[in-house]
Amino acid sequence: MNQSHNTLKKVKVYIGSDHGGFLMKENLKKVDELNCFINFIDVGTHSEDSVDYPDYAEKIAEKVLQDKNSYGIGICGTGIGICIALNKIKGIYAANVNKVIEAELAKEHNNVNVITLSGRFSTLEENISIIKKFFSSTFQNGRHMKRLEKIKKMEEKNE
């Protein structure tokens, strides 16, 4: 039986940004091409007023860790700061993604649960392509799993 896109289960994505990523976040949430397979849940910010990206990294991480079948997207000016903050939280594996190939490899090789994007240096079209590639890619367990296990051991050692 064929199912239409409307009846397929959408992936839940907690999306958040600081002021530098606010407009990009708002624009991404309006893209029909993404909304057909993503259920965006906005954790803020809700304006261009200056805020601190670690606060929104923490909100994204909290939701992703509570909701095991979900993902996160964090956006700041470059995507770098929010990525650093996200990776400080145990259980979050974030990659700052600027190219489509990086989105594919972040999922296939690193099985990241959050991607971060630039709100200032990437276009809306580039970020749409990145998101589509990330969610159409699949983790390739094999040799990559042993590497991820080593990362988890490093996390535990530093608790």
Side-chain angles (χ1 to χ4, degrees), residues 15-133:
I15 189 168
S17 71
D18 70 357
H19 56 283
F22 172 73
L23 290 177
M24 182 64 69
K25 174 178 64 81
E26 293 303 302
N27 287 326
L28 286 168
K29 292 185 322 183
K30 297 176 192 171
V31 176
D32 290 338
E33 201 175 356
L34 298 177
N35 283 308
C36 70
F37 69 93
I38 294 175
N39 178 20
F40 285 114
I41 298 147
D42 190 341
V43 300
T45 192
H46 301 291
S47 77
E48 290 184 89
D49 295 342
S50 183
V51 294
D52 298 326
Y53 58 78
D55 298 333
Y56 295 92
E58 198 166 27
K59 288 179 184 204
I60 294 165
E62 184 178 284
K63 295 293 187 182
V64 169
L65 291 172
Q66 287 172 358
D67 190 349
K68 295 298 180 198
N69 294 316
S70 69
Y71 291 89
I73 295 177
I75 310 168
C76 66
T78 61
I80 297 168
I82 200 164
C83 187
I84 292 168
L86 281 155
N87 279 313
K88 296 296 180 184
I89 299 166
K90 184 177 178 181
I92 294 297
Y93 303 96
N96 185 34
V97 180
N98 295 293
K99 296 181 176 152
V100 171
I101 187 65
E102 293 172 351
E104 182 177 22
L105 295 174
K107 179 65 106 31
E108 289 181 358
H109 292 194
N110 307 110
N111 202 24
V112 303
N113 52 8
V114 180
I115 58 171
T116 65
L117 305 171
S118 171
R120 293 187 175 142
F121 301 106
S122 297
T123 66
L124 177 62
E125 293 73 24
E126 288 168 332
N127 282 332
I128 291 168
S129 295
I130 286 167
I131 292 168
K132 285 171 50 182
K133 180 52 88 174

Side-chain angles (χ1 to χ4, degrees), residues 1-10 35-37:
M1 179 168 111
N2 288 344
Q3 291 183 311
S4 71
H5 279 308
N6 294 337
T7 60
L8 292 175
K9 186 172 172 145
K10 292 182 175 187
N35 283 308
C36 70
F37 69 93

